[in-house]
Amino acid sequence: MSLRDLRSFVLPLLLFGAVLPARAEGLAVAGKLTYGTAATFAPFEFVQNGTLTGFDIDLAQAVAGKMGVQADAVNMEFGGLIPALQGGRIDLINSAMYLSPEREQAVEFVPYMTIDNMVLVRAEGASAITGYDLSLCGKRIAVTLGGIEERDAHVADRTCRDAGRPPLTVLAYPTAQDTALNLLQGRADGAFTSRFGAAVLEAQVPGGYRVVGTPFGENARIGFAIRKGDGELHARLQQALDRLHGDGTFDRLLRKWHLEADRLPGGTGEAARVVHPVWDGLAYIGDFVVSAPFLRGAGMTMLLTVASLVLGSFVGVLAALGQLGRAGRFLRGPIFLYLWLFRGTPVLLQIVFVYNVLPLLGVRLPALTSAIVALSLNEGAYMAEIVRSGLDAVRPGQRQAALALGMSPVSVFRHVVAPQAFRVVLPMLGNQVIGMLKTSSLVSVIAVQELLLVADQAASANFRYLEALSAAALYYLAFTTLFMLLQYRLERYVSPRRRSDNGRGWLRHLLPAGGDVR
Amino acid sequence: MSGSASVLSLRSLCLTIGTHRILHDCTLDLAEGQTVVILGPSGSGKSTLMRCLNLLLRADSGQILFRGRDLMARHVSATEVRRMIGMVFQDYCLFEHLDVRANLLLAPRTAGAGFLADADARAMNLLAAVGLADKADRYPHELSGGQQQRVAIARALVMRPELMLFDEPTSALDPESIEALQALFRSDALAGMTKIIVTHDIAFASKVADRIVFMEGGEIVAEAAAGQAFSADANPRLRRFLTHAMPHAGAFSSSTDL
Ligand SMILES: Nc1ncnc2c1ncn2[C@@H]1O[C@H](COP(=O)(O)OP(=O)(O)O)[C@@H](O)[C@H]1O
Ligand SMILES: [Mg+2]
């Protein structure tokens, strides 16, 4: 998924970051401590009723209080956190991030907690897995991608191989929720998760999970991550943490979130698996659909789609026309480079690049602007090709005939070539609109609160995955339908051939049609 | 060949594209109200010559004198020239996205106030003149080839040109449409108009031409009054062409008055 794409360029990005001095900012000047968090990891950070909450969130508040600054959270995908830190988008990462040698090459940690993991199985039925031991051999184990559990799983795998037993199948998922969900759905035989994560799961999905064996990997630590060499911030964070330990605030927060060191999940496995009745689920979908976060998310998705399409079309027309005529001789090279770059790299890379790399070069755009810029430039590259194909499709005779009537070249383009090209590209434009609607979900990686991110976060609070995603799907389908109908009306409007087939085509138009384009 | 009465005089027009000599030393005079038919084998440069006349193509050298004014001179606006010289293409090239009325009105509407005045009335009159008054709201793809061609003629006439060029007007028409076209050429709309017609249709040429010009290899190799061209004492090369083009040319060569 998205994370895998991300990883392929996080490394070069980090090298990049090492060459250019990262700009430390905000803190002293603005009196603000901006932290990034991926709120899909209860009880550390998650979204409940549209609000960011959890141990880390409270801790950041308290730390900022001691430092005499204001804490400001930016909620994004886990994979986007380190690039955002490198790009100077945030002052620190506060997302229960494990210290790992790989990460320590890129960032500096201020650890604040030791955390251990447990083996989780389905409560239902018997499991051959007895704990973090050789009973894991040959089993499918779900872990969170890039988490310490992933490393533990590979260690267990090697142990099995060394003992001559069948290897583990390690299934790495983007978030802790995905890991838990895949265990519940039977795609994995067991899962590794933090002890506290296990406790949360047992509370939220009664009768769903059971822990087996004892905690392992006690020396894994989590901490704040800051840019390397940000010594002043390191010292101030450490000082604030020390003071929170001193006055008992830290222990109070641990108790509030049930993170006491000696607490163990008390799984019995006896409780019947809770099955949500269908009508209950529908009610949840309805609630999600009309909830404020979903409405805002849907609005954001629509805004991203429309803004990027309008700007992208503009860029595309310029890029297509720029290649024509006398000026084209000089512009063709740069335009080719643009098309080559933006058609040849993943959109996700372009989004992260604009948001996290441009700041290193001195161009610092807000998240939403970055998203629209990246999507528009990407769209423009495809639009340029579409516009060009539209212009090519206008028969040369049409232009000749218009010129022969004494029309000026500008009039010829405006009244003859452009309308005919538009008619040709309209079906392709429709595809672009619908594609953009869905592509816009990628900008969650830079913390733009679009529909899919909202749904993901809503689900993370209460495990109503099916319902939250269904609610998002309803919005996407509604938008898609709207755009398809608009396209249909427009096609009928501009095309005399279609105008004469009185209204019987609209249903067929909603269905995927191949050879219908003329 | 006195230039004084000529509407149009071509003087030594030459055009080379790459190494290919397409027009060579073309010289021709056209009197007011005259209909000249250009005959010649395919690839002899007939269409190219027409496109040079209304500046869709620029000849390399020579002069195009229109009422004494050289259209090839630097400061002459091609747009303005094309409003004086209408052209009907072989494949008509009606604007596919516009209905018949809009096809007629597009050029006047974009050409400025002088052309816009009473353009609607003129367009409707012309449609009536070409017998298509009832097709004003139709789209090109709803018309037959002959109808499309008549719309193309009306569309060119709306700009009130002083000279009309026709490139192979009969090549895509059935015999009935050809007869209708002949009638249109004799009607008020086109009878007095100075015209150049490129065609392969000898029968058609013999009905409409005042003069016949024969082109070959980019050159004008023969030129004659219509009656003379079809008579036994015509240029030998032209005669041979006519004989090949018209298997029953014998019937023609005997009937000198057409
Ligand atoms: N743009 C062009 N480039 C090169 N050769 C051309 C071009 N247009 C026409 N020609 C050549 O010029 C010659 C005359 O073409 P054309 O005027 O269309 O002949 P005709 O109309 O008499 O059949 C042909 O040999 C054709 O191949
Ligand atoms: Mg030709």
Side-chain angles (χ1 to χ4, degrees):
Chain A
M1 239 192 57
S2 55
L3 231 93
R4 198 138 318 153
D5 296 338
L6 254 176
R7 293 193 132 201
S8 61
F9 69 92
V10 160
L11 205 68
L13 204 63
L14 297 184
L15 293 175
F16 207 91
V19 174
L20 288 161
R23 299 167 352 141
E25 59 224 310
L27 199 48
V29 187
K32 230 162 51 171
L33 184 66
T34 307
Y35 67 88
T37 192
T40 51
F41 193 59
F44 288 90
E45 44 268 320
F46 57 107
V47 176
Q48 193 145 48
N49 304 325
T51 326
L52 203 56
T53 186
F55 173 81
D56 282 342
I57 310 302
D58 286 350
L59 182 62
Q61 209 76 32
V63 165
K66 291 290 184 211
M67 291 167 67
V69 294
Q70 203 190 329
D72 201 1
V74 183
N75 185 8
M76 63 179 80
E77 269 185 38
F78 194 78
L81 286 171
I82 289 183
L85 181 68
Q86 295 287 345
R89 287 284 166 185
I90 51 180
D91 298 313
L92 78 153
I93 297 168
N94 172 30
S95 200
M97 190 177 266
Y98 287 96
L99 280 67
S100 71
E102 294 83 10
R103 283 185 184 141
E104 275 173 311
Q105 287 186 348
V107 298
E108 190 170 315
F109 279 100
V110 185
Y112 56 81
M113 191 186 277
T114 301
I115 201 165
D116 42 24
N117 285 319
M118 299 204 74
V119 181
L120 210 58
V121 297
R122 276 185 301 280
E124 231 173 31
S127 173
I129 300 175
T130 56
Y132 189 68
D133 52 37
L134 290 177
S135 67
L136 294 168
C137 301
K139 297 285 188 274
R140 297 166 302 170
I141 301 301
V143 293
T144 303
L145 189 68
I148 200 103
E149 313 96 303
E150 191 182 3
R151 222 169 33 146
D152 289 336
H154 288 296
V155 171
D157 177 50
R158 211 167 320 120
T159 311
C160 286
R161 288 172 196 267
D162 290 348
R165 308 281 290 268
L168 265 68
T169 305
V170 179
L171 306 167
Y173 292 104
T175 70
Q177 266 104 49
D178 294 319
T179 307
L181 203 63
N182 278 286
L183 172 58
L184 195 61
Q185 289 168 347
R187 283 203 206 91
D189 305 310
F192 293 174
T193 187
S194 81
R195 176 151 56 88
F196 309 116
V200 169
L201 282 174
E202 284 196 336
Q204 282 182 341
V205 191
Y209 301 98
R210 177 158 60 88
V211 292
V212 289
T214 51
F216 60 94
E218 290 86 355
N219 50 9
R221 290 180 303 166
I222 59 174
F224 301 132
I226 60 175
R227 278 182 292 273
K228 284 198 138 179
D230 201 349
E232 190 209 330
L233 181 58
H234 193 137
R236 290 182 67 184
L237 286 171
Q238 192 58 60
Q239 195 185 6
L241 280 171
D242 290 346
R243 286 171 63 192
L244 291 175
H245 277 293
D247 66 8
T249 310
F250 199 89
D251 283 335
R252 194 169 51 72
L253 288 180
L254 286 179
R255 278 195 302 281
K256 174 179 172 190
W257 294 101
H258 307 297
L259 296 174
E260 301 93 327
D262 53 353
R263 187 184 180 88
L264 275 180
T268 59
E270 299 303 318
R273 169 94 183 277
V274 176
V275 178
H276 301 304
V278 173
W279 286 110
D280 183 25
L282 285 182
Y284 263 93
I285 296 177
D287 287 349
F288 277 137
V289 167
V290 298
S291 68
F294 270 77
L295 285 170
R296 272 198 305 271
M300 182 59 80
T301 289
M302 195 57 142
L303 171 71
L304 283 165
T305 305
V306 172
S308 305
L309 269 164
V310 170
L311 290 173
S313 305
F314 194 69
V315 171
V317 168
L318 287 184
L321 294 185
Q323 297 175 67
L324 307 172
R326 227 158 294 156
R329 228 178 316 150
F330 306 101
L331 294 174
R332 218 164 287 156
I335 290 174
F336 177 81
L337 188 69
Y338 160 65
L339 298 181
W340 179 70
L341 275 177
F342 279 83
R343 281 153 51 91
T345 53
V347 198
L348 188 63
L349 184 151
Q350 294 160 18
I351 294 167
V352 178
F353 191 91
V354 170
Y355 185 67
N356 290 317
V357 180
L358 287 190
L360 299 173
L361 308 172
V363 181
R364 194 183 171 82
L365 304 173
L368 180 59
T369 314
S370 300
I372 292 176
V373 165
L375 291 178
S376 301
L377 286 176
N378 181 70
E379 184 64 21
Y382 286 92
M383 210 61 104
E385 293 295 294
I386 291 177
V387 170
R388 208 176 51 107
S389 75
L391 294 178
D392 283 352
V394 177
R395 287 188 227 161
Q398 296 283 309
R399 219 178 134 262
Q400 291 269 307
L403 284 173
L405 283 167
M407 288 173 67
S408 70
V410 174
S411 289
V412 173
F413 183 80
R414 222 190 112 201
H415 296 286
V416 178
V417 177
Q420 293 196 16
F422 182 70
R423 210 176 65 175
V424 173
V425 303
L426 200 49
M428 290 183 261
L429 275 178
N431 280 343
Q432 291 303 107
V433 177
I434 287 163
M436 177 57 78
L437 190 60
K438 292 176 279 192
T439 304
S440 70
S441 67
L442 293 177
V443 305
S444 60
V445 74
I446 58 169
V448 174
Q449 298 284 315
E450 50 69 52
L451 198 46
L452 192 58
L453 183 60
V454 166
D456 238 6
Q457 290 170 354
S460 77
N462 60 3
F463 267 76
R464 291 272 177 181
Y465 251 88
L466 175 68
E467 293 82 355
L469 290 180
S470 299
L474 283 179
Y475 271 113
Y476 280 117
L477 286 171
F479 288 160
T480 305
T481 310
L482 180 76
F483 284 134
M484 281 173 160
L485 285 175
L486 268 175
Q487 180 196 350
Y488 175 71
R489 300 295 304 216
L490 211 53
E491 266 178 34
R492 267 170 66 84
Y493 178 75
V494 300
S495 158
R497 259 172 240 270
R498 278 171 189 272
R499 217 173 304 172
S500 40
D501 91 357
N502 267 322
R504 83 187 131 77
W506 71 270
L507 184 62
R508 185 199 53 200
H509 189 81
L510 285 180
L511 304 172
D516 190 37
V517 173
R518 216 222 88 96
Chain B
M1 278 205 198
S2 71
S4 59
S6 300
V7 178
L8 183 76
S9 305
L10 308 189
R11 293 279 170 268
S12 305
L13 225 50
C14 296
L15 175 68
T16 303
I17 297 179
T19 59
H20 195 59
R21 203 179 69 177
I22 295 171
L23 294 179
H24 182 67
D25 201 17
C26 291
T27 295
L28 183 69
D29 285 272
L30 210 61
E32 183 86 55
Q34 211 175 32
T35 298
V36 169
V37 166
I38 302 183
L39 295 174
S42 286
S44 56
K46 308 182 295 293
S47 298
T48 307
L49 180 64
M50 302 267 261
R51 283 151 48 77
C52 284
L53 291 186
N54 68 355
L55 305 183
L56 284 175
L57 263 180
R58 202 159 263 282
D60 296 330
S61 61
Q63 286 180 311
I64 304 170
L65 298 171
F66 188 79
R67 297 196 191 287
R69 180 171 158 226
D70 186 5
L71 302 184
M72 301 249 305
R74 281 253 157 252
H75 58 275
V76 175
S77 142
T79 302
E80 217 171 283
V81 168
R82 292 178 196 139
R83 285 172 192 164
M84 297 187 295
I85 304 179
M87 179 159 181
V88 176
F89 292 86
Q90 187 174 356
D91 46 0
Y92 326 134
C93 297
L94 295 184
F95 303 131
E96 295 161 10
H97 63 301
L98 298 176
D99 65 17
V100 167
R101 188 197 316 270
N103 259 277
L104 263 63
L105 290 175
L106 184 63
R109 279 188 180 151
T110 56
F115 292 89
L116 193 54
D118 76 328
D120 288 86
R122 239 176 325 130
M124 286 319 290
N125 282 341
L126 280 167
L127 275 185
V130 300
L132 293 173
D134 56 331
K135 305 285 190 205
D137 299 323
R138 295 305 180 85
Y139 280 85
H141 72 270
E142 297 171 312
L143 302 178
S144 72
Q147 291 170 332
Q148 288 189 37
Q149 185 182 52
R150 278 179 280 155
V151 173
I153 293 170
R155 181 177 70 174
L157 291 175
V158 153
M159 296 301 282
R160 286 191 287 234
E162 295 169 51
L163 167 68
M164 284 283 283
L165 310 175
F166 294 84
D167 196 353
E168 306 206 13
T170 61
S171 64
L173 295 186
D174 59 90
E176 250 173 67
S177 302
I178 293 178
E179 243 171 71
L181 184 64
Q182 282 168 7
L184 181 59
F185 275 17
R186 283 193 299 267
S187 75
D188 291 346
L190 279 170
M193 175 75 67
T194 315
K195 309 187 258 307
I196 302 181
I197 302 170
V198 166
T199 187
H200 281 128
D201 184 340
I202 312 287
F204 180 76
S206 67
K207 298 241 170 60
V208 298
D210 295 320
R211 280 193 22 233
I212 303 276
V213 168
F214 183 67
M215 276 187 82
E216 191 168 39
E219 289 183 68
I220 294 177
V221 296
E223 198 186 336
Q228 192 194 350
F230 294 104
S231 70
D233 56 337
N235 173 297
R237 178 65 190 93
L238 174 56
R239 264 202 66 79
R240 208 164 57 243
F241 177 76
L242 292 178
T243 315
H244 281 292
M246 283 306 271
H248 313 296
F252 272 100
S253 52
S254 59
S255 72
T256 48
D257 77 340
L258 290 158

